[in-house]
Amino acid sequence: MNWLRFGNPDFFSILLVGFALIIILLLYGMRMKWKTMLQFQSNARSIHIKRYRIQVALLGLCFLFVSIAIVYPQWGIKPETVVERLDIMLALDVSTSMLATDDNATRRLTQAKESIDTLLNQFEGDRIGLLYFAEASIVVCPLTPDVSILREILTAITPDTLVHRGTNISNAIEVATERFTSEQNGLILGNTNAGGHKVVILFTDGEDHGIDADNVAREAKSKGVHVFCVGFGIPDNPVPIPLADVSQGYKRDVNGQLVLTALDEDKLGKIAKAGNGSYYHLDAGISELTKDLARLEKDKYRMRSDGEYQERFQWFVALAIILLIVELLFQTRIRNNSRMLT
């Protein structure tokens, strides 16, 4: 019987013995009641014993249904459901230029982490992944609907762990796009809507030592991937890069000159345009980004249960309660009739 199974089959033997004992006791009680009635009433009517038989049947069935509920019957595969969601890969720049503080005392990295944390509150039902990039890119969290995992990973990245030099934005887009095509969810039966979009969001100051980021974004667009950019820093206002330990001063090149960094909005704007997305500055970008993401068409997926059976014990508990109530009402009626006859 592949259509039926029991969650607690070990209880079968105990319940069968218990059910047999209950039936024996009820039948024995019915026989003793009949003998008692004959001792005091030579003309005992059969209706009395018929009523008791009904009570015995009700109580027996009540115990039977409780027993079935205890062994946890399950049948009927859960139906497939269709869900809508976006797949979003957050790409965080972890190069040393993100240690800069610009006009305030807050590092760009800290601002980016706070922006991502705010954005995560808007992604209910969507799958989110996290990618760190500098001279190379690495997916630190695969696509998942559990945003608490991403928050834990974000907490772990601090200025002390930021030792990466160089920034390769094109590689970040490539790695994110490849992850979209390779990521497989074991619960997905099929995609019912191929028109849905996927999203890469770059959190960066725009400094890029790679090449062809525009072309890579354009190629991602051809695969249904939107590339959005959130910029950190101030354009045309280069600032020095403090070291992780601010007491050690600022980053310098091999000649001892200060290394300066500024937000490159032009580059980020071109990348976003080529990737069919938009560019936003940190100051007012997160709310606008959220609105634009809400306009994107989501993928629709049929979710299968992988043979998971539906629990049915509730039915038998309900039947047992109903029979118990009927038996109590029946017993009350018998008593009332007996009083009327006396």
Side-chain angles (χ1 to χ4, degrees):
M1 293 189 299
N2 294 330
W3 58 273
L4 174 66
R5 70 180 184 185
F6 298 95
N8 297 320
D10 296 337
F11 285 90
F12 262 121
S13 57
I14 299 174
L15 293 173
L16 286 175
V17 173
F19 182 70
L21 289 175
I22 290 293
I23 296 300
I24 291 172
L25 289 175
L26 289 174
L27 293 175
Y28 178 76
M30 182 173 64
R31 182 177 179 183
M32 296 303 296
K33 183 177 182 70
W34 179 250
K35 286 184 177 181
T36 302
M37 291 175 61
L38 289 177
Q39 288 178 359
F40 294 96
Q41 290 181 266
S42 59
N43 61 341
R45 293 180 296 175
S46 61
I47 188 171
H48 294 293
I49 198 63
K50 287 181 179 179
R51 289 173 177 173
Y52 188 73
R53 286 174 179 170
I54 293 175
Q55 288 181 276
V56 169
L58 291 173
L59 292 173
L61 287 173
C62 181
F63 183 82
L64 175 62
F65 289 143
V66 170
S67 300
I68 295 175
I70 291 175
V71 296
Y72 220 61
Q74 301 169 343
W75 70 81
I77 302 299
K78 291 182 179 179
E80 294 177 357
T81 57
V82 176
V83 297
E84 293 185 351
R85 72 182 183 204
L86 280 177
D87 283 348
I88 303 172
M89 184 63 71
L90 307 177
L92 175 61
D93 185 349
V94 294
S95 62
T96 51
S97 64
M98 292 294 285
L99 294 176
T101 57
D102 298 292
D103 280 349
N104 53 49
T106 306
R107 297 183 188 272
R108 295 173 183 173
L109 174 67
T110 302
Q111 296 176 32
K113 289 170 61 177
E114 292 174 350
S115 299
I116 292 175
D117 185 72
T118 300
L119 199 59
L120 289 178
N121 296 326
Q122 313 299 322
F123 291 146
E124 183 178 357
D126 297 324
R127 291 200 311 170
I128 316 299
L130 182 60
L131 176 151
Y132 289 163
F133 72 95
E135 72 272 20
S137 304
I138 180 172
V139 176
V140 293
C141 181
L143 296 171
T144 175
D146 188 356
V147 296
S148 62
I149 297 177
L150 278 81
R151 287 193 168 97
E152 292 179 5
I153 296 174
L154 278 173
T155 303
I157 183 93
T158 65
D160 294 333
T161 60
L162 231 65
V163 295
H164 304 286
R165 293 180 172 84
T167 308
N168 192 336
I169 294 178
S170 59
N171 180 251
I173 299 173
E174 287 176 342
V175 171
T177 303
E178 290 173 1
R179 179 50 63 105
F180 286 136
T181 58
S182 63
E183 187 78 19
Q184 297 295 330
N185 187 328
L187 295 178
I188 298 175
L189 179 62
N191 188 340
T192 65
N193 176 19
H197 299 103
K198 295 174 174 54
V199 177
V200 176
I201 306 176
L202 299 168
F203 295 83
T204 178
D205 54 22
E207 286 201 353
D208 186 16
H209 301 96
I211 57 174
D212 297 331
D214 298 2
N215 292 334
V216 174
R218 198 170 290 109
E219 183 178 350
K221 171 186 173 181
S222 68
K223 298 178 180 179
V225 177
H226 293 253
V227 180
F228 293 84
C229 299
V230 179
F232 298 86
I234 301 175
D236 303 322
N237 183 30
V239 295
I241 302 173
L243 299 176
D245 184 354
V246 293
S247 63
Q248 296 181 3
Y250 296 91
K251 181 179 178 181
R252 297 177 180 272
D253 60 21
V254 292
N255 298 318
Q257 299 296 316
L258 283 175
V259 177
L260 303 179
T261 175
L263 170 63
D264 192 341
E265 288 191 310
D266 290 338
K267 179 179 288 292
L268 294 180
K270 291 178 181 178
I271 293 173
K273 184 177 180 180
N276 198 25
S278 299
Y279 164 74
Y280 315 88
H281 189 269
L282 167 67
D283 293 340
I286 299 303
S287 60
E288 292 300 319
L289 172 60
T290 302
K291 293 178 183 177
D292 289 343
L293 291 178
R295 298 188 186 101
L296 294 180
E297 184 179 358
K298 297 187 176 184
D299 275 336
K300 294 181 180 180
Y301 291 90
R302 296 195 307 272
M303 305 297 292
R304 67 185 183 190
S305 61
D306 284 340
E308 186 176 355
Y309 288 71
Q310 295 193 68
E311 300 166 358
R312 306 293 188 177
F313 71 94
Q314 304 94 330
W315 294 12
F316 297 96
V317 172
L319 288 172
I321 293 173
I322 292 173
L323 289 175
L324 189 59
I325 293 173
V326 171
E327 195 278 331
L328 291 174
L329 293 175
F330 187 74
Q331 191 176 52
T332 301
R333 182 179 178 183
I334 292 175
R335 291 175 180 173
N336 292 338
N337 290 341
S338 300
R339 290 173 183 174
M340 293 177 63
L341 292 174
T342 58

